[in-house]
Coordinates of all heavy atoms in Angstrom, one line a residue:
K14 N 102.4 261.4 202.4 CA 103.1 260.3 201.9 C 103.2 260.2 200.3 O 104.0 259.5 199.8 CB 102.5 259.0 202.4 CG 102.7 258.8 203.9 CD 102.0 257.4 204.3 CE 102.0 257.3 205.8 NZ 101.4 256.0 206.2
L15 N 102.2 260.9 199.6 CA 102.1 260.8 198.2 C 103.3 261.6 197.5 O 103.6 262.7 197.9 CB 100.8 261.5 197.7 CG 100.5 261.3 196.2 CD1 100.3 259.8 195.9 CD2 99.2 262.1 195.9
D16 N 104.0 260.9 196.6 CA 105.1 261.5 195.9 C 104.8 261.3 194.4 O 103.8 260.7 193.9 CB 106.4 260.8 196.3 CG 107.6 261.6 196.0 OD1 107.4 262.7 195.4 OD2 108.7 261.2 196.3
Y17 N 105.8 261.8 193.5 CA 105.6 261.7 192.1 C 106.9 261.3 191.4 O 108.0 261.7 191.8 CB 105.1 263.0 191.5 CG 103.7 263.4 191.9 CD1 103.5 264.2 193.1 CD2 102.6 262.9 191.2 CE1 102.2 264.5 193.4 CE2 101.3 263.3 191.6 CZ 101.1 264.1 192.7 OH 99.8 264.4 193.1
A18 N 106.7 260.4 190.4 CA 107.8 260.0 189.6 C 107.8 260.8 188.3 O 106.7 261.1 187.7 CB 107.8 258.5 189.2
T19 N 108.9 261.3 187.8 CA 109.0 262.1 186.6 C 108.9 261.2 185.3 O 109.6 260.2 185.2 CB 110.2 262.9 186.5 OG1 110.3 263.7 187.7 CG2 110.3 263.8 185.3
V20 N 108.0 261.5 184.4 CA 107.8 260.7 183.2 C 108.9 261.2 182.2 O 109.0 262.4 181.9 CB 106.4 260.9 182.6 CG1 106.3 260.2 181.2 CG2 105.4 260.4 183.5
V21 N 109.7 260.3 181.8 CA 110.8 260.6 180.8 C 110.3 260.5 179.4 O 110.6 261.4 178.6 CB 112.0 259.6 181.0 CG1 113.1 259.9 180.1 CG2 112.5 259.7 182.5
S22 N 109.6 259.5 179.1 CA 109.1 259.3 177.7 C 107.8 258.5 177.7 O 107.6 257.6 178.6 CB 110.1 258.7 176.8 OG 110.4 257.4 177.2
V23 N 107.0 258.7 176.7 CA 105.7 257.9 176.5 C 105.7 257.5 175.0 O 105.7 258.3 174.1 CB 104.5 258.8 176.8 CG1 103.2 258.0 176.6 CG2 104.6 259.2 178.3
T24 N 105.7 256.1 174.8 CA 105.6 255.6 173.5 C 104.3 254.9 173.3 O 104.0 253.9 174.0 CB 106.8 254.6 173.2 OG1 108.0 255.3 173.5 CG2 106.7 254.1 171.8
P25 N 103.5 255.3 172.3 CA 102.2 254.6 172.1 C 102.4 253.2 171.6 O 103.3 253.0 170.8 CB 101.5 255.5 171.1 CG 102.1 256.8 171.2 CD 103.6 256.5 171.5
V26 N 101.6 252.3 172.0 CA 101.7 250.9 171.5 C 100.5 250.7 170.6 O 99.3 250.9 171.1 CB 101.6 249.9 172.7 CG1 101.6 248.5 172.1 CG2 102.8 250.1 173.6
T27 N 100.7 250.4 169.3 CA 99.6 250.4 168.4 C 99.5 248.9 167.8 O 100.4 248.2 167.8 CB 99.8 251.3 167.2 OG1 101.0 251.0 166.5 CG2 99.9 252.7 167.7
E28 N 98.3 248.7 167.3 CA 98.1 247.4 166.5 C 97.1 247.7 165.4 O 96.3 248.6 165.4 CB 97.5 246.3 167.5 CG 96.2 246.6 168.0 CD 95.6 245.5 168.9 OE1 96.4 244.7 169.4 OE2 94.4 245.5 169.1
K29 N 97.3 246.9 164.3 CA 96.4 247.0 163.1 C 95.0 246.5 163.5 O 94.8 245.5 164.0 CB 96.9 246.2 162.0 CG 98.3 246.7 161.4 CD 98.2 248.0 160.7 CE 99.5 248.4 160.1 NZ 99.4 249.7 159.4
T30 N 94.0 247.4 163.1 CA 92.6 247.1 163.4 C 91.9 247.2 162.1 O 92.0 248.2 161.4 CB 92.0 248.0 164.4 OG1 92.8 248.0 165.6 CG2 90.6 247.7 164.7
E31 N 91.1 246.2 161.8 CA 90.2 246.2 160.6 C 89.1 247.2 160.8 O 88.5 247.3 161.8 CB 89.6 244.8 160.3 CG 90.6 243.7 159.9 CD 91.1 243.9 158.5 OE1 90.5 244.7 157.7 OE2 92.2 243.4 158.2
L32 N 88.9 248.0 159.7 CA 87.8 249.0 159.7 C 86.7 248.5 158.8 O 86.9 248.0 157.7 CB 88.3 250.3 159.2 CG 89.3 251.1 160.1 CD1 89.7 252.4 159.4 CD2 88.6 251.4 161.4
Y33 N 85.4 248.6 159.3 CA 84.3 248.1 158.6 C 83.2 249.2 158.6 O 83.1 250.0 159.6 CB 83.7 246.9 159.2 CG 84.5 245.6 159.1 CD1 85.4 245.2 160.1 CD2 84.5 244.9 157.9 CE1 86.2 244.2 160.0 CE2 85.3 243.7 157.8 CZ 86.2 243.4 158.8 OH 86.9 242.3 158.7
A34 N 82.5 249.3 157.5 CA 81.4 250.3 157.4 C 80.1 249.5 157.2 O 80.1 248.4 156.6 CB 81.6 251.2 156.2
T35 N 79.0 250.0 157.8 CA 77.7 249.4 157.7 C 77.1 249.8 156.4 O 76.9 250.9 156.0 CB 76.8 249.8 158.9 OG1 77.5 249.5 160.1 CG2 75.5 249.1 158.9
V36 N 76.6 248.8 155.7 CA 75.9 249.0 154.4 C 74.5 249.5 154.6 O 73.7 248.9 155.3 CB 75.9 247.8 153.5 CG1 75.1 248.0 152.2 CG2 77.3 247.3 153.2
L37 N 74.2 250.7 154.1 CA 72.8 251.2 154.2 C 72.0 250.9 153.0 O 70.8 250.8 153.1 CB 72.9 252.8 154.3 CG 73.8 253.3 155.5 CD1 73.8 254.8 155.6 CD2 73.2 252.8 156.9
G38 N 72.6 250.7 151.8 CA 71.8 250.4 150.6 C 72.7 250.1 149.4 O 73.9 250.6 149.4
A39 N 72.2 249.3 148.5 CA 73.1 249.0 147.3 C 72.1 249.0 146.1 O 71.1 248.3 146.0 CB 73.7 247.6 147.5
E40 N 72.5 249.8 145.1 CA 71.7 249.9 143.8 C 72.5 249.3 142.7 O 73.7 249.6 142.5 CB 71.4 251.4 143.5 CG 70.5 252.1 144.5 CD 69.1 251.5 144.5 OE1 68.7 251.0 143.4 OE2 68.4 251.6 145.5
P41 N 71.9 248.4 141.9 CA 72.6 247.8 140.8 C 72.9 248.8 139.6 O 72.0 249.6 139.4 CB 71.7 246.6 140.4 CG 70.4 247.1 140.8 CD 70.5 247.9 142.0
V42 N 74.0 248.6 139.0 CA 74.3 249.4 137.8 C 74.2 248.5 136.6 O 74.9 247.5 136.5 CB 75.7 250.0 137.9 CG1 76.1 250.8 136.7 CG2 75.9 250.9 139.1
H43 N 73.3 248.8 135.7 CA 73.0 248.0 134.5 C 73.8 248.5 133.3 O 73.9 249.7 133.1 CB 71.5 247.9 134.2 CG 70.7 247.3 135.3 ND1 70.8 246.0 135.7 CD2 69.8 247.9 136.2 CE1 70.0 245.8 136.7 NE2 69.4 246.9 137.0
E44 N 74.1 247.6 132.4 CA 74.7 247.9 131.1 C 73.9 247.3 130.0 O 73.7 246.0 130.1 CB 76.2 247.4 131.1 CG 76.9 247.7 129.7 CD 78.3 247.2 129.7 OE1 78.4 245.9 129.5 OE2 79.2 248.0 129.9
T45 N 73.4 248.1 129.1 CA 72.6 247.6 128.0 C 73.4 247.5 126.7 O 74.0 248.5 126.3 CB 71.4 248.4 127.8 OG1 70.6 248.5 129.0 CG2 70.4 247.9 126.7
T46 N 73.4 246.4 126.0 CA 74.1 246.2 124.7 C 73.1 245.9 123.6 O 72.1 245.2 123.9 CB 75.2 245.1 124.8 OG1 74.5 243.9 125.2 CG2 76.2 245.5 125.8
T47 N 73.3 246.3 122.4 CA 72.5 246.1 121.2 C 73.3 245.3 120.2 O 74.4 245.6 119.9 CB 72.0 247.4 120.6 OG1 71.3 248.1 121.6 CG2 71.1 247.1 119.4
S48 N 72.7 244.2 119.7 CA 73.4 243.3 118.7 C 72.5 243.2 117.5 O 71.3 243.2 117.6 CB 73.8 242.0 119.3 OG 72.6 241.3 119.8
T49 N 73.1 243.0 116.3 CA 72.4 242.8 115.1 C 72.8 241.4 114.5 O 73.9 241.0 114.5 CB 72.7 243.9 114.1 OG1 74.1 244.0 113.8 CG2 72.2 245.2 114.7

């Protein structure tokens, strides 16, 4: 009884997804100034 229908076209359905990265570490960057 099993039959098959022919696939004419396949269109992907997409949506915008936010991408996030896991923070492993953060090092501060210092700036030193000299005044007179």
Side-chain angles (χ1 to χ4, degrees):
K14 294 179 181 179
L15 189 64
D16 200 357
Y17 292 92
T19 302
V20 174
V21 178
S22 64
V23 178
T24 303
V26 179
T27 62
E28 66 179 16
K29 293 290 185 181
T30 303
E31 293 286 343
L32 290 179
Y33 292 95
T35 303
V36 174
L37 301 177
E40 294 293 334
V42 178
H43 299 292
E44 181 183 77
T45 302
T46 58
T47 303
S48 60
T49 57

